[in-house]
Each structure stands twice: as C-alpha cells, then as structure tokens.
Amino acid sequence: MKFIKKNIKGLFLLKFEKHKDNRGIFFRNYCLNEFKKKKINFLIKQKNISINPKKNTLRGFHYQKSPSKESKVINCLSGSILNITIDIRKKSSTYLLHDKITVSSKDQSAIYIPAGCANAFLTLEKNTVIQYFMGDFYKPKLYRGFRYDDPYFSIKWPKPKVISRKDLSFKKFK
C-alpha cells in the first residue's frame, strides 16, 4: 500500500498493491499495520455505502466537529468521483486549503481524509458506488456541513444535477 501525500496535512491518496491472475485481481484496501507504519491512528468504527444512480450527484461538504475524530477512507466500488477536501482545523498549517482528487473504480485507489476536514464529492459517472471506512461513529449532535458553492473557497465544480435539500440548506462556511 502506497500513501501519496497531498496538499492538505494528513491527506493521502492510497494506491494498492494489486495481485492479478486468471481469476482476476486481489488487493487489500485497508491494513492497520500499514497505517501504523505511517503513524496514522485509524481504526474503523463504521462502514458506509453511498449508491448514486445519476452522474453529477453532489454530496457535501460534511464533517463532524470536535470532539469527534471522524477520519475517513473513501474508495469507489463502481464509477468515479471528484472528491474535494477542505482543511478546517484552525491550528493546522494547511487551514482552509482544499485539495481535489479524482478516484475511480478503474484505478482502484482510495483517499484517507484526516479528522477535522470537511469533505464533498461529485459523481462523474452513472451508478457510482462509494464505500466509506469511518474512524468515528455518526454523532448527529456533532454533524455539520456547509455549502458546496460557498464563494469563500471559490471551488470550480462541474455543474451538479442532483443535490439533497439538506445539502442545499447548509449555510456558508464564513
């Protein structure tokens, strides 16, 4: 497993060591020992699946505020996404920076998102299925979000076609 550093402190693109033979492909998409080697304390507390039938479905920006330690590993089981992570950790050296990463089932990679970052994604294909490994349990009282199109961040997205009422109802970050 390779951990490729991204612009945000603690954000990694994960590339997996694939084993291919006449049966197909096998790879590990999570290994506690590999995370420990990188000094990342990530224990899976919950696993979620997001099924998105339509292209250009947007989900986010979502996060859980402190004291939650909601880190995530996100990968595509089918389809592809444009994932955007924003560092909202006030004491971080990359505070308020964002990073765009495209993840697809074809490249079989994943993203590790550290706690204290907000995350959103837009599906780039029909029938995109996302798997999340969560480092904390869902805690409704700590759950927060802000607008995907907040002008404060000036993020350039492809035009979303499907967004939940809840995501549209979020206030701006600032």
Side-chain angles (χ1 to χ4, degrees):
M1 186 179 292
K2 290 183 186 173
F3 290 73
I4 300 165
K5 288 182 182 182
K6 301 306 287 177
N7 293 331
I8 293 174
K9 185 178 182 181
L11 178 69
F12 292 94
L13 175 64
L14 306 177
K15 296 284 189 171
F16 305 113
E17 184 180 332
K18 297 173 189 119
H19 304 280
K20 189 174 182 178
D21 64 21
N22 64 332
R23 299 168 294 175
I25 297 171
F26 170 87
F27 61 92
R28 229 178 324 156
N29 67 348
Y30 174 76
C31 177
L32 178 60
N33 288 336
E34 295 293 327
F35 276 77
K36 282 183 176 180
K37 283 181 194 175
K38 294 293 181 184
K39 296 183 173 44
I40 299 171
N41 184 20
F42 182 72
L43 296 173
I44 298 170
K45 304 269 179 82
Q46 185 173 309
K47 286 173 52 176
N48 304 325
I49 298 284
S50 168
I51 300 171
N52 306 275
K54 296 184 178 177
K55 180 180 177 177
N56 294 323
T57 297
L58 190 131
R59 294 180 184 259
F61 282 97
H62 304 150
Y63 64 99
Q64 287 194 156
K65 70 177 194 163
S66 186
S68 175
K69 301 289 185 210
E70 185 188 63
S71 49
K72 305 172 188 173
V73 171
I74 297 176
N75 66 323
C76 281
L77 300 179
S78 67
S80 61
I81 60 170
L82 172 62
N83 189 86
I84 299 182
T85 303
I86 300 176
D87 189 347
I88 56 173
R89 301 167 292 181
K90 289 183 178 174
K91 295 182 180 180
S92 172
S93 60
T94 56
Y95 178 59
L96 299 181
L97 291 182
H98 72 274
D99 209 329
K100 293 182 180 183
I101 303 172
T102 300
V103 180
S104 77
S105 57
K106 291 178 187 87
D107 71 12
Q108 298 159 336
S109 58
I111 307 165
Y112 171 74
I113 300 164
C117 291
N119 196 71
F121 69 79
L122 181 82
T123 60
L124 302 174
E125 299 177 47
K126 291 179 181 178
N127 300 315
T128 295
V129 179
I130 307 302
Q131 177 176 248
Y132 304 75
F133 298 123
M134 308 300 290
D136 201 357
F137 299 104
Y138 172 66
K139 298 172 181 168
K141 291 181 180 179
L142 300 178
Y143 178 80
R144 299 290 184 275
F146 55 87
R147 294 276 307 195
Y148 78 95
D149 58 354
D150 188 330
Y152 183 79
F153 296 106
S154 300
I155 294 170
K156 305 264 190 274
W157 291 93
K159 184 160 178 62
K161 292 183 181 168
V162 180
I163 306 172
S164 72
R165 284 189 186 141
K166 181 177 69 175
D167 284 355
L168 287 173
S169 73
F170 285 140
K171 305 252 186 283
K172 293 178 181 176
F173 180 77
K174 291 271 183 176

